[in-house]
Amino acid sequence: MPKNLVIVESPAKAKTIQKYLGSDFEVKSSFGHIRDLPKKGMGIDLTNFTPEYEVSADKKKLVADLKASVKKAEMVWLASDEDREGEAIAWHLADELKLKPENRKRIVFHEITKNAILKAIENPRDIDQNLVNAQQARRVLDRIVGFEMSPVLWKKVKPGLSAGRVQSVALRLVVEREKEIRAFVPKPSFKVEGIFLNNEKQQILAKLKKDFEKESEAENFLNLAKSTEFKVLNVETKPGTRTASAPFTTSTLQQEASSRLGYNVTTTMRLAQRLYEEGFITYMRTDSVNLSQEAINGAKAQILSEYGENYSKPRNYTTKSSSAQEAHEAIRPTDFSLKSIADAQLNKLYQLIYRRTLASQMENAKIERTVIEIGNAALPQQFEAQGEVIIFDGFLKAYGIVKTEDEDDDNHEKLLPKVSVGEVLDYKNITATEKFTRPAARFTEAMLVKKLEELGIGRPSTYAPTIQTIQNREYVEKKEIEPQTREIVKMTLGKSGIKKEVLQEKFGGDKNKFVPTDIGEVVNDFLTNNFAEILDYGFTAKVEESFDHIASGDQKWKEMMTDFYSKFHPRIEDVEENANRANGERILGKDPKSGKNVYARIGRFGPMIQIGEQDDEEKPKFASLLAHQNISTISLDEALELFKLPFDLKDVDGLPVTVGVGRFGPYVKWGETYISIPKGEDPLSVDQERAEEIIREKNLADAPIAQYKGEPVTKGSGRFGPFIKYKNIFINVPKRYNFENLSQSDIQELIEAKLEKEANRYIQHWEKEKISIENARWGPIVKLGKNIYKIPKKKDGSKYEAEDLQEVSLDEVKKWIKAQDPKAFAEKKKPAAKKAPAKKK
């Protein structure tokens, strides 16, 4: 039997490490944390902030297996990751497995290579309690903030909402940016550009150094330029350099993977985790740009081999942040001789990391910048042409050109023709084009990560889950903003004179950027109004500094918690008692028909318009907002238009046609069939002709594409992607199939797999009662009709296993449903029979 037991966090890592250790070692995985705060209840003793940890039900068997392995081993090596979270995992393992100090060793490594693992075995240490306490402080503080602030939102805004220390600040950034964009007033100006020709008829594109504020000023300049002789006033050539960026940290990797590969933060971290666990890169949660001497030497050898000595420039980088602590090294390849890996998706990210690290150890690129000044002393402004030529590519050979947001594309690698001072130039044309100032851009995921890092909010391990949380909570969304159109003036001076034209310009459109939802704005406004300190950027950064002080042993974590809670809890009580309810309500004006107030607000089912008061004798009227509308910006006229929905059109093929808006957006209803109106199309614009076209398209899409056992098979695309339909069963079609050209064997395979899955779906089914216990993607559930209910835990706190659920009685299941929905089995009252009107005498 192996004398040594090594416990790591993931099975992939265990598999890789096992290859490097001999038969004296057995490597097992804890699958992350084996215990945590309970899912129900706060799980913290607020008198002294002691956490009440428990082994989660799905980890009990794993813990039992680990305990059995511990008994057989002479020494247990705790090899979880080297950050605070990893240190806490090691501590929980030691405590739960009852490991004695003499029978346990803590080892850390920032790359999974044979040398790193063997070196770690040779240099063990004990568990660092300061790092553990820093993790506990974060976990406990965030649990308290979430558990005490969220119920306030339930009471004051809407049930089911949540708040969190970092997620609420991230939401605030997105909301404030959107409000800034709405309040922005664009200012016009006129940008003047000219195309000039030298003696050899070579073109030089130049821009006027300063824009004109008024159209009349730009026109006067063109009139003046019409009869002016243009000369080269000055030519200036300066040598310059471009310097390679530092190796990747977690944040910069997320940003670069977004801009170069189009990956979101979650995808980047998932792929980076795999690269690390399979031994290809160093630890991927780090805010250090430092490289080990071993890495510098490895990069140098590869550069000398591939590019030559003149490309090599070994250097190290220092981290600007004083709190950088998550790991000892930047993200880099573990082996520079490995230029690519087999897995295509992993290889894209690996290549990015490989080239960035290699480039950081290469010579600067040498460039030559040329500036040509063109004009005449008689003109109030002069033109300037800029160009840049790469003399020596240096690190660009490996990494390419990276443009920053404020750099002009026209200045990159644009070779200007040779000219001399005093040389007369002819103009081909000079244009003055109206331009408008633009507001700050909406956040992409990468931009939001960068902003959080700049403000000192969160740490490398928190960016991805924070951004995912605010999307899961439906506080922000990535949606397409349709551009608006405006007129711009363009004046062109040619040889025949000045031509003026009015052009159409699109502006304000956006794709794949974060936009706050209505509920997100209401939640943010309530929290910033009532918990200003918690959502203050400086306060959140200060809390991160406190965690750093705890990690270094300079602060006691429970003292920090006592100080925080003594101010936080009274504020919770005050807001709960005295704050007004919030639903984002705006009075838009009066309904011209009834004279009643028209409101935009958050309702039970989302953003809506209300005509009339809640306590009026006549019930108010309600209408849901369309996807592109917002309660903060909708006008009275737009709101009143919504009450035209639903409306009826003429029958089609003997079936009634209605246009309306439902839970899943705008639709055309034909008979009993609901057909979604294409995204971005206004349902109020759907007339008889368009409705018939939508119905025809639906019928065409529903036409059978094949037969299976004598029954037709159709296909379509819905909320969850492409599907085929067989006997009222909808079957999702995965990406590995060619949806446009499904073969008969593909269809048979998909249907049979679905039928087999359906056969195994029911754990129990009471058809008469319309009640069932079923297997869902996230585990067993209870269904009553179309309603879904959770399965509670057993009395001992453990989860029901599938075999347990097969023995549960119908009465017990009804109790579960009633506990979550008291009205579930209430009998619906029949409407009272109308009395016949009294006959007139």
Side-chain angles (χ1 to χ4, degrees):
M1 291 297 293
K3 295 177 182 179
N4 297 278
L5 173 66
V6 181
I7 304 177
V8 296
E9 287 169 298
S10 76
K13 191 194 291 187
K15 186 179 177 182
T16 307
I17 292 174
Q18 186 70 70
K19 294 187 298 186
Y20 303 135
L21 299 173
S23 57
D24 278 350
F25 288 84
E26 179 185 20
V27 186
K28 289 208 161 191
S29 169
S30 70
F31 290 84
H33 279 278
I34 59 165
R35 68 181 190 183
D36 196 4
L37 296 171
K39 288 186 178 178
K40 287 192 177 178
M42 187 177 288
I44 298 164
D45 183 347
L46 293 174
T47 60
N48 57 13
F49 303 103
T50 301
E52 299 165 5
Y53 296 115
E54 66 176 25
V55 176
S56 53
D58 61 333
K59 291 289 179 76
K60 285 187 176 180
K61 186 176 183 304
L62 172 70
V63 170
D65 290 343
L66 288 175
K67 284 180 177 177
S69 297
V70 165
K71 286 179 183 178
K72 299 171 189 173
E74 293 178 13
M75 181 62 67
V76 178
W77 304 77
L78 301 170
S80 47
D81 290 337
E82 62 176 331
D83 58 8
R84 296 170 189 172
E85 205 70 33
E87 205 70 22
I89 288 173
W91 177 71
H92 282 297
L93 283 165
D95 191 54
E96 188 63 33
L97 302 178
K98 304 291 187 289
L99 302 179
K100 295 176 182 178
E102 61 269 24
N103 297 118
R104 75 178 192 221
K105 289 182 180 179
R106 172 82 171 113
I107 56 172
V108 294
F109 37 82
H110 61 276
E111 61 182 62
I112 304 174
T113 59
K114 187 172 184 177
N115 286 343
I117 303 301
L118 296 179
K119 190 175 178 181
I121 295 285
E122 291 168 8
N123 298 279
R125 61 169 172 82
D126 201 359
I127 293 168
D128 187 333
Q129 197 59 42
N130 291 330
L131 293 180
V132 174
N133 289 341
Q135 189 273 345
Q136 287 195 99
R138 178 189 293 278
R139 188 77 183 92
V140 169
L141 188 144
D142 287 351
R143 171 60 71 100
I144 289 172
V145 170
F147 263 70
E148 295 209 352
M149 280 175 69
S150 296
V152 177
L153 290 179
W154 303 345
K155 293 177 184 176
K156 302 295 183 179
V157 183
K158 185 184 172 189
L161 300 176
S162 78
R165 180 179 62 89
V166 178
Q167 77 175 59
S168 297
V169 175
L171 171 63
R172 180 185 172 190
L173 283 168
V174 176
V175 171
E176 287 186 347
R177 178 60 55 88
E178 193 65 26
K179 288 182 176 180
E180 186 184 338
I181 291 168
R182 285 181 200 148
F184 183 79
V185 179
K187 293 181 180 178
S189 64
F190 281 80
K191 178 181 180 181
V192 180
E193 294 180 314
I195 298 176
F196 298 90
L197 304 173
N198 66 0
N199 293 331
E200 296 174 12
K201 302 301 179 184
Q202 293 171 306
Q203 292 189 2
I204 304 170
L205 173 65
K207 299 175 186 177
L208 210 60
K209 289 183 180 181
K210 188 178 178 183
D211 295 343
F212 293 109
E213 290 184 7
K214 297 178 182 177
E215 181 182 340
S216 58
E217 293 173 344
E219 191 168 6
N220 289 340
F221 179 85
L222 293 182
N223 279 314
L224 194 59
K226 187 164 47 174
S227 56
T228 298
E229 182 181 65
F230 286 94
K231 294 181 179 180
V232 176
L233 302 178
N234 190 33
V235 179
E236 190 175 10
T237 302
K238 288 183 179 180
T241 58
R242 282 183 173 271
T243 308
S245 298
F248 282 130
T249 62
T250 303
S251 166
T252 54
L253 175 63
Q254 290 170 351
Q255 293 169 51
E256 194 79 343
S258 173
S259 62
R260 287 207 170 199
L261 304 177
Y263 289 170
N264 62 34
V265 173
T266 304
T267 300
T268 299
M269 293 312 292
R270 176 174 55 80
L271 296 174
Q273 179 88 32
R274 283 184 59 194
L275 286 170
Y276 167 64
E277 289 177 348
E278 293 178 28
F280 294 117
I281 64 169
T282 53
Y283 192 52
M284 69 290 161
R285 291 192 181 92
T286 174
D287 46 17
S288 171
V289 291
N290 179 52
L291 289 177
S292 67
Q293 192 58 47
E294 182 186 354
I296 292 172
N297 293 341
K300 181 180 178 180
Q302 185 63 29
I303 292 164
L304 292 175
S305 166
E306 193 168 346
Y307 302 113
E309 192 170 345
N310 58 333
Y311 280 91
S312 175
K313 187 178 181 180
R315 59 164 83 84
N316 214 336
Y317 296 82
T318 54
T319 305
K320 293 178 183 178
S321 170
S322 60
S323 62
Q325 46 70 42
E326 294 291 352
H328 303 299
E329 206 173 350
I331 304 169
R332 63 163 177 85
T334 56
D335 179 3
F336 285 95
S337 66
L338 184 66
K339 296 179 67 174
S340 63
I341 55 180
D343 185 298
Q345 193 178 28
L346 285 180
N347 190 50
K348 284 184 181 179
L349 193 64
Y350 178 76
Q351 286 287 306
L352 197 66
I353 296 165
Y354 181 92
R355 291 199 301 268
R356 172 80 163 229
T357 313
L358 212 61
S360 76
Q361 300 302 302
M362 293 174 72
E363 266 291 359
N364 296 336
K366 294 176 183 177
I367 58 175
E368 187 178 81
R369 291 193 179 99
T370 303
V371 179
I372 301 174
E373 189 177 2
I374 300 169
N376 188 296
L379 294 172
Q381 299 285 342
Q382 310 302 332
F383 288 89
E384 189 175 82
Q386 294 186 24
E388 189 175 283
V389 180
I390 295 173
I391 306 300
F392 172 65
D393 53 3
F395 77 92
L396 298 175
K397 189 96 169 174
Y399 201 60
I401 292 176
V402 181
K403 300 187 184 91
T404 59
E405 288 178 14
D406 57 349
E407 285 183 313
D408 195 330
D409 287 347
D410 293 334
N411 292 343
H412 286 284
E413 294 187 271
K414 188 179 74 175
L415 185 63
L416 294 173
K418 294 269 185 185
V419 291
S420 55
V421 175
E423 182 178 338
V424 176
L425 303 177
D426 190 17
Y427 69 82
K428 185 178 181 181
N429 62 59
I430 299 173
T431 59
T433 309
E434 189 175 17
K435 301 288 181 185
F436 287 87
T437 52
R438 293 182 294 179
R442 292 182 175 90
F443 286 106
T444 60
E445 285 199 5
M447 289 164 63
L448 189 54
V449 165
K450 186 178 181 181
K451 190 66 177 177
L452 289 169
E453 186 182 41
E454 284 173 2
L455 294 169
I457 296 165
R459 281 294 179 264
S461 58
T462 66
Y463 299 138
T466 295
I467 290 171
Q468 194 59 53
T469 296
I470 59 175
Q471 291 179 85
N472 292 345
R473 295 291 180 189
E474 296 183 354
Y475 291 161
V476 303
E477 60 184 345
K478 290 178 185 175
K479 73 176 187 181
E480 188 172 337
I481 306 290
E482 291 293 323
Q484 297 171 268
T485 304
R486 65 185 168 203
E487 291 183 343
I488 60 166
V489 174
K490 182 178 181 180
M491 295 176 284
T492 304
L493 169 63
K495 294 303 178 184
S496 58
I498 297 173
K499 176 187 174 185
K500 185 186 288 190
E501 49 191 333
V502 177
L503 307 175
Q504 298 288 317
E505 176 188 64
K506 291 188 181 295
F507 72 99
D510 249 332
K511 284 183 180 180
N512 211 32
K513 303 276 185 74
F514 282 130
V515 179
T517 61
D518 284 299
I519 193 66
E521 287 199 48
V522 171
V523 166
N524 175 74
D525 292 349
F526 180 82
L527 292 177
T528 49
N529 290 337
N530 294 287
F531 297 99
E533 186 183 36
I534 300 297
L535 269 76
D536 179 72
Y537 301 134
F539 168 78
T540 310
K542 190 178 176 184
V543 168
E544 296 294 345
E545 286 178 14
S546 294
F547 295 152
D548 294 338
H549 293 320
I550 294 165
S552 60
D554 297 329
Q555 189 173 356
K556 302 290 184 186
W557 80 274
K558 289 192 176 181
E559 288 178 8
M560 178 239 179
M561 287 303 310
T562 302
D563 179 59
F564 166 78
Y565 196 65
S566 65
K567 299 167 188 170
F568 175 69
H569 187 66
R571 185 66 193 146
I572 288 283
E573 291 178 325
D574 178 54
V575 172
E576 203 165 17
E577 184 70 28
N578 301 312
N580 295 322
R581 283 190 61 82
N583 56 16
E585 185 174 279
R586 288 174 60 225
I587 296 183
L588 304 180
K590 299 277 187 184
D591 173 27
K593 291 181 180 177
S594 65
K596 293 180 179 180
N597 285 332
V598 180
Y599 299 91
R601 67 179 183 87
I602 296 291
R604 186 179 172 192
F605 301 109
M608 55 171 240
I609 303 298
Q610 174 183 314
I611 298 178
E613 310 298 329
Q614 297 281 15
D615 52 1
D616 279 355
E617 188 174 327
E618 184 184 352
K619 284 187 177 181
K621 293 179 181 178
F622 302 100
S624 296
L625 268 66
L626 300 176
H628 66 278
Q629 294 174 326
N630 186 288
I631 58 173
S632 301
T633 57
I634 192 169
S635 67
L636 176 63
D637 289 342
E638 289 169 335
L640 293 174
E641 283 287 301
L642 294 173
F643 288 89
K644 293 179 180 178
L645 295 165
F647 59 85
D648 296 328
L649 296 171
K650 293 178 184 176
D651 290 5
V652 173
D653 295 338
L655 295 174
V657 177
T658 303
V659 179
V661 176
R663 281 179 61 202
F664 306 120
Y667 62 81
V668 170
K669 185 183 179 186
W670 180 48
E672 295 302 314
T673 303
Y674 288 85
I675 309 167
S676 292
I677 293 172
K679 191 178 179 181
E681 188 170 344
D682 186 351
L684 291 165
S685 68
V686 176
D687 55 15
Q688 185 72 32
E689 184 180 350
R690 178 62 181 133
E692 290 180 16
E693 186 181 351
I694 290 171
I695 292 167
R696 281 197 305 273
E697 288 171 357
K698 172 68 174 173
N699 287 338
L700 189 63
D702 284 351
I705 59 166
Q707 295 256 328
Y708 179 76
K709 294 189 176 179
E711 296 286 344
V713 179
T714 59
K715 73 175 184 178
S717 189
R719 283 196 306 147
F720 305 111
F723 64 82
I724 59 172
K725 184 182 176 186
Y726 168 71
K727 281 189 170 180
N728 291 322
I729 300 172
F730 291 88
I731 305 160
N732 289 332
V733 179
K735 288 183 178 178
R736 65 177 181 271
Y737 292 91
N738 184 343
F739 182 64
E740 298 304 321
N741 295 292
L742 289 170
S743 65
Q744 183 65 36
S745 62
D746 290 339
I747 291 166
Q748 182 174 333
E749 187 178 300
L750 287 162
I751 293 172
E752 288 176 356
K754 180 69 172 179
L755 293 175
E756 184 180 348
K757 186 178 177 182
E758 286 292 303
N760 298 324
R761 187 179 79 177
Y762 291 112
I763 297 171
Q764 285 208 69
H765 190 195
W766 294 275
E767 195 167 347
K768 187 177 178 183
E769 304 277 350
K770 294 184 179 177
I771 296 174
S772 61
I773 305 176
E774 301 180 15
N775 281 312
R777 278 187 302 165
W778 52 88
I781 56 165
V782 171
K783 282 185 78 173
L784 171 60
K786 292 184 179 179
N787 296 324
I788 296 173
Y789 302 92
K790 291 180 181 177
I791 294 176
K793 288 185 179 179
K794 295 181 185 177
K795 290 179 181 178
D796 63 0
S798 64
K799 287 183 180 178
Y800 279 93
E801 301 296 335
E803 53 267 27
D804 302 326
L805 293 169
Q806 290 169 2
E807 305 298 325
V808 173
S809 67
L810 175 61
D811 289 340
E812 183 70 13
V813 175
K814 284 185 174 181
K815 285 179 186 176
W816 296 347
I817 296 172
K818 273 190 176 180
Q820 297 170 62
D821 183 4
K823 296 180 181 178
F825 299 105
E827 290 186 17
K828 292 181 181 179
K829 292 182 179 178
K830 292 181 180 178
K834 291 183 180 179
K835 293 181 181 179
K839 292 181 180 179
K840 291 182 181 179
K841 291 181 180 179

